[in-house]
Amino acid sequence: MSVDEFILATKDRPMRADVLHLSPPCQYFSPAHTHQSAHDDTNIFALYGCIDLVDKLRPRLFTLEQTFGITHERHRQYLRALIGDFTQHGYSVRWKVVRLCTWGLAQDRKRLIMIAAAPGEKLPPFPQPTHSENGAGGLKPYTTIRKAINSIRLGDNLHDLNNVKYFQPRRPPLNADGLAGTITTGGNEVYYPDGTRDFTVREYACIQGFPKYHRFLGTKTCIRRQIGNAFPSNTVQMLYKHLEEWLLKQDGIRRYQPMADGVMVVDDSDSDDSDDSFRWQTSSGTYSSPEMDEDIMEIDSPQSRPRYVHWRDNCIIDLT
């Protein structure tokens, strides 16, 4: 249901969440949005419905995903107002524009990702990149178009080559061993690398990070919209594994490990919780550091003292 309906329906029910994710409509803020639309006002208002949901659930952490276009100067006031709402409710906020190919997506897709922590919670850092071009820096190589769709076979669900658009004349070929362009609800600029046809719905889904076994409901047009609007599944998995590990560490809880030959396997890593020595392991097996990159901005807003905040150079600076 819509956010306002949910809040009204649960007004007498106290509810709490460990983690909340927000993906408000992004069409109005997209760089591709160049003409006014009948839905512009609705999409803008939906952005500010996020704070009502945060206030209702008071999650320990929440994440928000939005088009990077909201960071552009013509939309900057919306981003500032949104972050101002969150900090007024006591949340510390960190955000950056992430190239999702560095988190394993087979597209050169950029998204604004925000992480926020409730009062009393430490603010998690962003996960470190897991992929790089040609595997530079000891990371995995970027996930290519070929790798993303390589396991798809004739007869697979939503992979119907008899019900796909073929191009006459053939379009310019794309590099199958490179990244795809950004998948959208229309998908006009992304097509099969040899230039002969459009991608099938299953191929679109795999390039958008969905596992091959994922099942969609709806018409082909509806499913294409679901795929284009999605926060890519494989990057979501990487982000939330990282946040799960963070919360377990903050709570002093070790992840359960199954018995192996009658021996319980536990994590005996360094238990020092100090900020200087704290390190944790992500699902990729690499280590992350709490130190911020230069393009990350944050505000720490403890409620025990007055807050004086100043905007400068796209950052929030706590002047208290």
Side-chain angles (χ1 to χ4, degrees):
M1 62 181 71
S2 66
V3 170
D4 59 323
E5 290 173 333
F6 170 76
I7 292 175
L8 184 63
T10 61
K11 64 179 181 178
D12 297 323
R13 288 176 55 195
M15 304 175 72
R16 290 292 179 266
D18 286 319
V19 182
L20 170 68
H21 176 69
L22 305 163
S23 279
C26 64
Q27 285 81 359
Y28 177 76
F29 306 104
S30 171
H33 182 75
T34 57
H35 301 285
Q36 288 186 334
S37 165
H39 302 291
D40 283 352
D41 286 345
T42 302
N43 289 338
I44 293 171
F45 296 150
L47 185 69
Y48 299 106
C50 292
I51 191 60
D52 294 328
L53 196 56
V54 169
D55 193 42
K56 165 68 180 178
L57 299 176
R58 299 299 294 183
R60 297 178 64 185
L61 304 176
F62 74 78
T63 58
L64 183 143
E65 171 251 359
Q66 183 50 270
T67 173
F68 69 93
I70 199 172
T71 66
H72 291 173
E73 189 57 39
R74 66 191 179 112
H75 295 314
R76 182 65 63 83
Q77 71 271 23
Y78 296 109
L79 178 61
R80 291 182 176 184
L82 182 66
I83 294 170
D85 281 347
F86 294 147
T87 58
Q88 286 178 16
H89 282 71
Y91 278 81
S92 302
V93 184
R94 191 196 303 273
W95 72 99
K96 70 182 295 189
V97 174
V98 179
R99 289 184 71 202
L100 296 187
C101 59
T102 65
W103 288 0
L105 190 66
Q107 299 170 55
D108 194 9
R109 186 185 189 98
K110 294 190 297 184
R111 301 297 284 181
L112 173 73
I113 309 296
M114 188 180 294
I115 302 175
E121 294 282 350
K122 288 186 177 181
L123 181 61
F126 278 94
Q128 293 295 306
T130 55
H131 294 68
S132 63
E133 188 171 9
N134 300 320
L139 303 179
K140 297 177 182 178
Y142 285 152
T143 303
T144 64
I145 299 173
R146 188 189 309 276
K147 184 175 181 180
I149 66 176
N150 192 51
S151 65
I152 300 173
R153 299 289 182 267
L154 288 175
D156 284 345
N157 175 257
L158 298 179
H159 184 61
D160 183 2
L161 293 178
N162 294 319
N163 188 27
V164 69
K165 181 179 180 180
Y166 287 84
F167 304 132
Q168 291 293 340
R170 176 183 296 194
R171 292 189 175 185
L174 302 174
N175 179 14
D177 294 312
L179 297 170
T182 299
I183 294 287
T184 65
T185 55
N188 296 329
E189 302 303 321
V190 182
Y191 49 85
Y192 197 74
D194 67 6
T196 60
R197 63 172 177 85
D198 198 359
F199 280 122
T200 65
V201 174
R202 179 54 60 188
E203 288 170 333
Y204 272 117
C206 287
I207 292 173
Q208 187 71 324
F210 287 94
K212 194 175 75 169
Y213 56 78
H214 186 86
R215 292 294 181 263
F216 296 87
L217 297 178
T219 64
K220 180 179 178 181
T221 300
C222 177
I223 294 172
R224 284 283 295 272
R225 188 177 300 115
Q226 293 174 50
I227 294 169
N229 284 331
F231 189 14
S233 301
N234 59 346
T235 59
V236 170
Q237 182 182 37
M238 197 277 296
L239 174 61
Y240 280 97
K241 281 289 185 183
H242 168 76
L243 296 181
E244 180 186 30
E245 294 289 347
W246 171 270
L247 287 177
L248 288 173
K249 184 72 175 181
Q250 296 305 304
D251 294 343
I253 298 174
R254 291 178 175 176
R255 178 183 297 281
Y256 168 76
Q257 297 289 344
M259 301 288 283
D261 297 326
V263 178
M264 177 66 75
V265 180
V266 297
D267 178 7
D268 286 325
S269 59
D270 188 356
S271 60
D272 188 346
D273 290 335
S274 68
D275 289 339
D276 292 334
S277 64
F278 177 67
R279 299 179 73 83
W280 62 97
Q281 191 167 13
T282 66
S283 57
S284 66
T286 60
Y287 284 90
S288 302
S289 167
E291 294 144 353
M292 292 195 303
D293 295 330
E294 290 183 355
D295 58 347
I296 300 174
M297 297 142 281
E298 80 176 284
I299 180 169
D300 183 8
S301 56
Q303 290 186 320
S304 59
R305 56 185 172 85
R307 296 170 55 252
Y308 301 93
V309 174
H310 173 60
W311 284 86
R312 190 187 72 192
D313 299 332
N314 304 338
C315 300
I316 298 181
I317 303 172
D318 192 345
L319 301 179
T320 305

